[in-house]
Amino acid sequence: MVSLEVALRQMLVWHFSNIYMTPGRDHKMLLISNPRVCVIGAGIAGLTSAKHLQDEGIEFVVFESSRYVGGTWRYDPKVGTDENGLPIHTSMYKHLRTNLPKPTMEFKSFPVPEDMASFPTWKTYYEYIQDYTKHFDLEKHIKFLHKVILVSRVGNIWKVKYQNVLTNEEFDNEFDFVLVGTGHFSKPNMPNFLGEEKFSGSIIHSHDYREPDRYKNRRVLIVGAGPSGMDITMDVAYVSKTLIHSHHSKVPFRTKFPKHYLKKPDIKEFTETGVIFEDGSYEDVDDVIYCTGYEIYYPFLDKSCGLDITPRSIPHLYKYMVNINQPTMMFLGLIVRACLVVAIDTQSQYATAVIKGNFTLPSKEQMLEEWESRANVIRSKGRPFSDIHLLAEKEDEYYADLTKESGIDRVPPVMFNMRIKNMHMMLENLYTFRDYVYTVIDNENFSIQKYNESNHFS
Ligand SMILES: Cc1cc2nc3c(=O)[nH]c(=O)nc-3n(C[C@H](O)[C@H](O)[C@H](O)COP(=O)(O)OP(=O)(O)OC[C@H]3O[C@@H](n4cnc5c(N)ncnc54)[C@H](O)[C@@H]3O)c2cc1C
Ligand SMILES: *[C@@H]1O[C@H](CO)[C@@H](O)[C@H](O)[C@H]1NC(C)=O
Ligand SMILES: *[C@@H]1O[C@H](CO)[C@@H](O)[C@H](O)[C@H]1NC(C)=O
Ligand SMILES: *[C@@H]1O[C@H](CO)[C@@H](O)[C@H](O)[C@H]1NC(C)=O
């Protein structure tokens, strides 16, 4: 008879052996000795994953439906569909400059260029992404023009169906892990107001906003006051005749807008020539831009993935990323209000550490507990459930947590500190918050200096 003590010791050896183990469906530990990893998307999530997986010598492939790296950072003057008939993914507009200072958008092991502007244009930042891809020789892992169309769980394996977007030929492959990095700023959330169909002017979503020229001397209505809403408002206000801004945001913006800017409450309904607002007032409008955000959209994830995806949230993600029902599937970048580049890079490292077997994820029950406690806070505050993806003031604590659990490098608190300072500068003045240079001093501290014309930042 095996004594309890011997049995326990064997369990411990099993638990701490170097062989990778992943919790299976019924919590038996399975062995994955040479894991094969499927990465979906070659934006920042896919590229940072490729970098870390490559460092660890893990076998993987990145599927990317376009012919480019960089995802949303690659500006495309076109809207609608691309040359292969696929929906255009990017939401980038011509005049975009980053809304975070460059040190908070730096990839690990790849410093942003010294001569890069403090808040670079999309073009400058996109070049930095391309340089990263070249420097670490990541392209060889990317299957461009291949779109993932179905991911399903069959037994203990991920079946991934993907399609060559030029020939429509379909392929099947099997993987042990799936990292989902397809972004969540691409599928417009359209509000659908009463009477929209009789409105004779133009209506677009910010996903299709590219440049202000067509709004010259026109009466433009912008709906929404998120980052895109505020930024596009200013871009359009430079040229438009009037700028009507409808929103219910309680964020205390202190920016002084130009004289032709008019703040309005929410829309009640459209007429043929304009809009009636909730307060009963009416304005003539030529063009409308909905800056009403994006839907969460993963059309390729089958029911067998064990997720109840809604347009606003994906429930049951441990640490904002691990699919609790199938922990060999992880989501990268499904978070808001953070230094997104740094956060995604960190999540990619964490995922790589899981795959490498550097640590073992907690049990399903423990992971659910972590998720439930976050969900309960949202419920008790009566907040919308989309807040489950919100990091905001928890950002630094999140980095500390990921490091504590996985042993990956700790993102220094200075990142969060700079983001918060930048947020205050933004609230103070949307026209000038980008005129400052942020310099990291140590793990916690940074300095901020008014932009110096003679420094010739690009
Ligand atoms: C207008 C705008 C401005 C922003 N400004 C900033 C900023 O200033 N600072 C900042 O830090 N962040 C900013 N962001 C956030 C930005 O989303 C992140 O910085 C980052 O680019 C997200 O990268 P990602 O890889 O998660 O997604 P994405 O960049 O969206 O990349 C996803 C990739 O997946 C591919 N793909 C999608 N579906 C499939 C499929 N089924 N099969 C294969 N491939 C697929 C797409 O083609 C795309 O290349 C901004 C976002 C937007 C939209
Ligand atoms: C995994 O652990 C090894 C050994 O400590 C370390 O060198 C490696 O960087 C870790 N990998 C990740 C992705 O954390
Ligand atoms: C940041 O600056 C403060 C005040 O000068 C100092 O006390 C602190 O030690 C600094 N932080 C680090 C990590 O050096
Ligand atoms: C501005 O930049 C120039 C050239 O680099 C430098 O000589 C000068 O001291 C800077 N001024 C300030 C206020 O930083």
Side-chain angles (χ1 to χ4, degrees), residues 136-148:
F136 294 110
D137 196 15
L138 304 176
E139 276 203 4
K140 62 174 186 278
H141 301 288
I142 305 171
K143 253 180 127 50
F144 289 104
L145 297 169
H146 283 80
K147 179 184 174 152
V148 169

Side-chain angles (χ1 to χ4, degrees), residues 170-447:
E170 292 181 7
F171 307 89
D172 289 291
N173 219 326
E174 295 187 345
F175 295 93
D176 300 300
F177 288 89
V178 172
L179 302 184
V180 185
T182 52
H184 56 107
F185 300 113
S186 206
K187 183 161 198 295
N189 167 49
M190 296 299 273
N192 277 320
F193 289 107
L194 199 66
E196 243 176 40
E197 68 293 338
K198 61 183 169 213
F199 179 61
S200 60
S202 78
I203 300 182
I204 65 163
H205 185 272
S206 60
H207 172 61
D208 293 332
Y209 175 75
R210 291 297 181 264
E211 49 176 312
D213 302 20
R214 62 177 276 208
Y215 299 109
K216 195 158 188 239
N217 294 324
R218 302 194 42 108
R219 295 164 298 191
V220 182
L221 167 66
I222 291 188
V223 182
S228 300
M230 297 317 285
D231 214 37
I232 293 173
T233 288
M234 293 166 54
D235 202 26
V236 170
Y238 277 117
V239 301
S240 65
K241 184 165 153 195
T242 58
L243 194 297
I244 305 155
H245 196 183
S246 163
H247 70 82
H248 52 249
S249 167
K250 292 190 181 69
V251 177
F253 291 108
R254 284 180 292 273
T255 302
K256 261 190 77 106
F257 289 103
K259 273 208 197 71
H260 65 291
Y261 173 96
L262 186 61
K263 158 84 176 75
K264 285 284 175 184
D266 286 353
I267 294 174
K268 180 158 171 270
E269 64 178 295
F270 278 84
T271 69
E272 201 187 323
T273 53
V275 171
I276 302 168
F277 297 92
E278 291 285 4
D279 61 359
S281 64
Y282 168 85
E283 292 293 329
D284 283 326
V285 172
D286 299 318
D287 306 291
V288 180
I289 307 174
Y290 285 142
C291 300
T292 43
Y294 294 91
E295 290 187 355
I296 285 174
Y297 189 57
Y298 296 99
F300 50 87
L301 296 181
D302 180 80
K303 272 207 162 54
S304 58
C305 298
L307 293 160
D308 290 312
I309 302 175
T310 76
R312 301 250 134 251
S313 64
I314 301 189
H316 306 135
L317 297 184
Y318 173 66
K319 294 272 157 85
Y320 301 78
M321 62 182 283
V322 180
N323 176 354
I324 295 175
N325 291 320
Q326 295 292 352
T328 49
M329 169 178 278
M330 291 175 259
F331 291 80
L332 305 171
L334 191 49
I335 41 179
V336 285
R337 277 229 252 130
C339 305
L340 271 180
V341 175
V342 167
I344 292 172
D345 198 353
T346 305
Q347 290 184 323
S348 302
Q349 272 181 82
Y350 176 96
T352 303
V354 171
I355 296 166
K356 185 75 182 173
N358 278 15
F359 72 102
T360 308
L361 289 169
S363 71
K364 181 171 175 174
E365 288 71 25
Q366 286 167 316
M367 291 198 283
L368 262 178
E369 218 169 274
E370 185 262 3
W371 183 84
E372 280 294 348
S373 75
R374 286 193 286 122
N376 282 336
V377 172
I378 293 165
R379 290 183 193 115
S380 70
K381 287 185 181 163
R383 299 284 308 153
F385 210 68
S386 53
D387 273 14
I388 198 76
H389 302 294
L390 183 81
L391 274 179
E393 73 285 350
K394 292 172 295 195
E395 181 181 10
D396 188 56
E397 188 188 318
Y398 178 59
Y399 297 140
D401 269 2
L402 290 186
T403 294
K404 194 167 158 223
E405 184 184 10
S406 69
I408 63 170
D409 296 337
R410 165 80 154 96
V411 174
V414 67
M415 291 295 164
F416 173 72
N417 295 345
M418 284 189 287
R419 184 173 71 76
I420 296 303
K421 174 68 182 176
N422 177 59
M423 192 181 77
H424 289 297
M425 299 295 280
M426 224 163 159
L427 291 178
E428 206 53 55
N429 192 334
L430 288 163
Y431 284 101
T432 59
F433 79 94
R434 291 186 177 92
D435 297 345
Y436 294 85
V437 177
Y438 289 66
T439 311
V440 172
I441 297 171
D442 57 41
N443 274 350
E444 287 168 16
N445 302 286
F446 63 96
S447 71

Side-chain angles (χ1 to χ4, degrees), residues 89-105:
H89 181 85
T90 188
S91 300
M92 202 46 58
Y93 36 95
K94 193 174 174 184
H95 296 156
L96 182 130
R97 286 172 66 196
T98 66
N99 57 17
L100 286 172
K102 69 171 177 179
T104 67
M105 293 184 62

